[in-house]
Amino acid sequence: MAAPGPGEYFSVGSHVSCLTCLGQRLQGEVVAFDYQSKMLTLKCASSSGKPNLSDVVLINLAYVSEVDIINDRTETPPPLASLNVSKLANRARTEKEDKLSQAYAISAGVSVDGQQLFQTIHKTIKDCKWQEKNIIVMDDVVISPPYQVENCKGKEGSALSHVRKIVEKHFRDVESQKSMQRSQAQQTQKDSTLSS
């Protein structure tokens, strides 16, 4: 069955198996079905292999060559879990602020190194922001271009020491990654020369 006919639908909680036009087999529990758009939402086993997680897959039935109902649910599905709207609103606000901060850095002409360092620091210390081209961390530490350890200024203490360690590790990791990429490129070049 490529798509449900008139009056056909999938019950929430039913287990179905779909074969896509690309030959991929998807199997899971029906979470939602929209007859108008022929969109089916399945909750499938996690691709990460973790038992406490699930993948949610949206399937356009126009691109499905076969649908098999494994277990049809006839009783009323359980009520939906309530959402913590304030938590979702806070997450959305935080994400928006992060994106605006990134956009500000790009428009201010901050170097890619500076942007990457800001992201690294922000993962550990949320209280960081841009002030023109300077990174301000916890209102105590200022990191100015070119964003190296020696460019970290502030009152001597644990905050400055901690930020310097983060900056030092960031550039050590970046250099290690560049070194690995260079060696891979050299190996690829060597392999292609040998095969010629």
Side-chain angles (χ1 to χ4, degrees):
M1 151 169 147
E8 294 181 26
Y9 62 94
F10 297 97
S11 302
V12 172
S14 296
H15 286 269
V16 299
S17 176
C18 302
L19 183 63
T20 68
C21 59
L22 300 174
Q24 182 183 16
R25 173 76 54 191
L26 298 169
Q27 186 173 326
E29 178 184 341
V30 175
V31 177
F33 173 63
D34 180 54
Y35 181 80
Q36 288 291 103
S37 61
K38 307 291 191 262
M39 293 297 290
L40 178 65
T41 306
L42 292 183
K43 181 170 79 171
C44 305
S46 174
S47 56
S48 69
K50 295 182 179 176
N52 57 337
L53 298 177
S54 298
D55 289 345
V56 175
V57 183
L58 294 173
I59 303 168
N60 184 341
L61 293 179
Y63 299 103
V64 170
S65 61
E66 177 186 316
V67 178
D68 296 316
I69 298 175
I70 297 168
N71 179 10
D72 196 12
R73 182 178 199 138
T74 54
E75 65 270 6
T76 307
L80 297 173
S82 64
L83 296 174
N84 185 337
V85 178
S86 66
K87 187 176 180 181
L88 291 172
N90 284 338
R91 186 187 305 169
R93 183 183 43 74
T94 301
E95 287 295 318
K96 181 180 177 185
E97 288 171 0
D98 289 350
K99 296 300 178 198
L100 287 173
S101 176
Q102 290 173 5
Y104 173 81
I106 292 168
S107 68
V110 174
S111 68
V112 173
D113 285 342
Q115 293 173 42
Q116 290 173 343
L117 176 62
F118 181 89
Q119 293 300 323
T120 300
I121 294 169
H122 193 262
K123 286 177 190 171
T124 307
I125 304 170
K126 295 294 180 202
D127 185 11
C128 61
K129 61 188 174 210
W130 289 103
Q131 187 178 64
E132 295 174 17
K133 291 188 178 185
N134 296 330
I135 300 172
I136 310 296
V137 184
M138 299 182 293
D139 291 325
D140 288 337
V141 180
V142 177
I143 310 168
S144 54
Y147 310 106
Q148 300 296 316
V149 175
E150 57 272 10
N151 304 112
C152 298
K153 306 289 185 221
K155 189 175 77 177
E156 285 297 328
S158 61
L160 180 60
S161 171
H162 184 60
V163 170
R164 282 181 175 158
K165 286 178 186 174
I166 293 172
V167 172
E168 190 177 316
K169 182 180 182 325
H170 168 76
F171 283 107
R172 197 172 49 239
D173 291 349
V174 166
E175 189 52 44
S176 161
Q177 192 173 21
K178 284 180 183 176
S179 164
M180 189 182 313
Q181 288 171 346
R182 281 192 298 266
S183 67
Q184 287 174 344
Q186 289 171 349
Q187 185 62 41
T188 303
Q189 187 178 21
K190 189 186 292 183
D191 290 348
S192 66
T193 304
L194 290 174
S195 66
S196 301

